[in-house]
Amino acid sequence: MIRHLIIVLGDQLTLDNPALENLDPSCDHVLMAEVSAEGTHVWSHKARIALFLSAMRHFAQVLESKGIAVNYFKLGEHTFTQLNEVWLDQIKQLQPQKIIVCEPGEYRVLQALQACAQQTNTQLIVRDDTHFMCSQADFKRWAGQNKALRMEFFYRNMRKEHQVLIRDGQPEGGDWNYDHENRKAFGRQGPQDVPTMPVFEIDAITHEVFAEVEHHFSDHPGTLAHFCWPVTREQALEFLHAFIEHKLADFGAHQDAMWQGSAPHHAFLWHSLLSSSLNLKLLNPREVIQAAEQAYQQKQLSLASVEGFIRQILGWREFIRGVYWLDMPAMATSNHYGHQRQLPIWYWTANTQMNCMRQTIHQTMLYGYAHHIQRLMVTGMFGLLAEISPQQLEAWYLAVYVDAVEWVELPNVAGMALYANGGRFTSKPYVASGAYIKRMSNYCQGCRYKPEVKTGPQACPVTTLYWHFLIKHYATFVNNPRTSLMVKHVDKMSSEERMAINQHAQSLLTHLDAL
């Protein structure tokens, strides 16, 4: 019998993991496990699987270098397929007095842990995840004091509480939010002088992981040929330094813009690429925010850029995590519009004639990455307009992005992209016609579809389905101050034009795989 069985999950790769506090190597055991089901419960991108496995193995080495022995179950060296099978085996063998774990990032994992503890009659201690700057309890308390869940008000509270970009008790520059300055397109000239990202040599551990991913997950989507993600804390810090030094100054203005180009930096632009490192906990949000704030003060960087970046970390990231735990498990089954259509096959192949979708999905399959507007206003918005089952699209997002853990993926997709939770924390669905994509990218150049055309063979499917969506939900939209201006354009259409749009939309919806 041992004292504590300490479980370290694959997205908890930090020495500051609360589960490791007061660890006594003489009587406590640390357990880490790789199992195939974590790569197959959604059809995970090869790069996503490789990132988790490589980062886990590197972290196990860090623990061992600190004199902490790890019971590490490596993929292919055991017969277990599910995490709970490993946990049950180790609980029965070691008979710990307690199981200790940091709060998981997925509801299903917490449920599995609780079931194992109950089945073996072992006490389970779930410690608060101090990586986050707002605890679940504090978020629940804040939510209970507000009639509506709005990130902006939560963000202001966080700014005040943590004294971030605050001067003499007021927001730096006089305003809380400079988002209106961060929505510029590139124009015809496209992005200029985009900085490159750090490049790491693939070490022996990661090469071994690549081979095992190709062996065990050979039929999975994506490729490892362009793998570029930090798998150690040192590499993550290098990404952070590169962003602060070379990208932060110009991050803000064009953060919503998209560009089709031949080089990797056209996919990454001025985005930080830190989300996977943050979500694996190779980086702490406090140090990321501090680095950005110090750069602002020392280099006189654009406040709009710095505030916009910090809002993503201190505001949106913390808010989304709070909403996830507040609303689970109902969030996972929410379907406000009752959409049931199947996910088109080209979401996995990029083999579609819609260039905006083709470019975004192709990039996703190369790198396991797309930035927030590509996710929200291209793949996500199309899924909403095309009436795709939220659960199918949510599973796709969880599968294909290297930074995807359910606490961050599900609220963003269900709440933001698909409006599946009926506006629980948003005031309107995020929908637009093809004109928005044309304005914010060069995707429409050379596309067989025309964003200004609503019906006929050249009509942009995004545009047709947008107007169909407004017509279908007219009664709801006309009474919402945030959407009433949008549907006023419907009032200007003749009945014949509305009918033609609906007929063309039905044809598109019936043949989504052929678009």
Side-chain angles (χ1 to χ4, degrees), residues 94-365:
L94 301 173
Q95 298 183 12
Q97 297 172 20
K98 297 178 182 179
I99 306 164
I100 297 181
V101 68
C102 174
E103 291 170 328
E106 299 199 3
Y107 181 85
R108 67 177 178 90
V109 176
L110 177 60
Q111 293 291 103
L113 281 163
Q114 292 171 337
C116 285
Q118 184 176 15
Q119 185 175 336
T120 59
N121 197 29
T122 309
Q123 184 180 3
L124 172 66
I125 306 296
V126 180
R127 292 178 175 168
D128 284 358
D129 191 345
T130 54
H131 165 90
F132 292 95
M133 299 172 71
C134 181
S135 69
Q136 289 187 39
D138 285 344
F139 186 87
K140 187 175 183 179
R141 191 176 304 113
W142 173 84
Q145 297 169 349
N146 291 269
K147 293 181 179 179
L149 296 180
R150 292 294 181 263
M151 189 281 292
E152 180 63 27
F153 302 116
F154 170 80
Y155 169 58
R156 294 180 186 185
N157 283 349
M158 293 291 284
R159 287 266 298 272
K160 294 174 186 175
E161 179 182 346
H162 295 280
Q163 289 295 294
V164 174
L165 292 178
I166 297 290
R167 186 187 296 269
D168 299 326
Q170 297 300 315
E172 185 76 27
D175 293 320
W176 290 104
N177 186 317
Y178 292 88
D179 193 42
H180 60 279
E181 297 184 27
N182 294 338
R183 301 172 182 170
K184 296 177 183 176
F186 290 123
R188 292 184 178 181
Q189 79 282 1
Q192 303 295 311
D193 302 319
V194 182
T196 57
M197 58 192 286
V199 177
F200 307 121
E201 182 178 351
I202 303 299
D203 66 8
I205 290 177
T206 305
H207 273 301
E208 180 183 46
V209 165
F210 284 180
E212 292 174 12
V213 169
E214 294 291 5
H215 174 71
H216 294 285
F217 307 98
S218 60
D219 64 339
H220 279 233
T223 175
L224 296 173
H226 306 282
F227 188 89
C228 55
W229 305 106
V231 295
T232 66
R233 173 160 171 77
E234 291 73 23
Q235 291 177 350
L237 286 170
E238 190 172 339
F239 258 51
L240 173 59
H241 175 77
F243 171 68
I244 297 296
E245 289 297 314
H246 306 298
K247 288 189 172 187
L248 179 57
D250 296 314
F251 162 76
H254 301 290
Q255 65 173 285
D256 286 3
M258 302 167 281
W259 197 259
Q260 173 185 341
S262 58
H265 59 257
H266 287 130
F268 302 133
L269 298 170
W270 282 270
H271 292 275
S272 73
L273 311 180
L274 299 178
S275 56
S276 64
S277 297
L278 280 163
N279 294 351
L280 292 175
K281 302 189 175 71
L282 300 175
L283 290 176
N284 188 296
R286 295 163 185 83
E287 67 186 335
V288 175
I289 292 168
Q290 183 181 38
E293 191 170 21
Q294 285 181 350
Y296 166 71
Q297 294 166 347
Q298 295 170 4
K299 300 182 179 183
Q300 290 77 52
L301 301 184
S302 160
L303 179 57
S305 282
V306 175
E307 185 277 320
F309 174 69
I310 286 177
R311 185 172 358 107
Q312 292 184 353
I313 309 297
L314 183 62
W316 194 248
R317 186 172 185 267
E318 297 283 337
F319 177 82
I320 281 293
R321 189 246 185 180
V323 169
Y324 174 80
W325 287 108
L326 188 68
D327 286 0
M328 283 297 284
M331 180 186 290
T333 57
S334 61
N335 191 349
H336 175 72
Y337 289 115
H339 290 167
Q340 297 294 339
R341 296 188 187 278
Q342 296 294 304
L343 186 74
I345 189 64
W346 43 257
Y347 265 82
W348 300 103
T349 66
N351 187 20
T352 170
Q353 299 174 82
M354 289 183 290
N355 194 45
C356 58
M357 296 292 287
R358 182 168 68 246
Q359 294 300 325
T360 300
I361 294 171
H362 177 65
Q363 172 189 313
T364 295
M365 292 303 153

Side-chain angles (χ1 to χ4, degrees), residues 438-483:
K438 181 179 181 180
R439 183 170 72 252
M440 298 305 297
S441 74
N442 65 340
Y443 292 159
C444 297
Q445 295 177 15
C447 182
R448 65 154 288 185
Y449 300 115
K450 306 303 178 187
E452 64 276 7
V453 181
K454 299 182 182 72
T455 58
Q458 286 192 311
C460 171
V462 174
T463 297
T464 303
L465 294 177
Y466 166 74
W467 289 110
H468 170 258
F469 189 79
L470 294 190
I471 293 167
K472 185 174 183 178
H473 300 289
Y474 177 90
T476 302
F477 279 22
V478 77
N479 292 313
N480 182 342
R482 295 292 306 278
T483 55

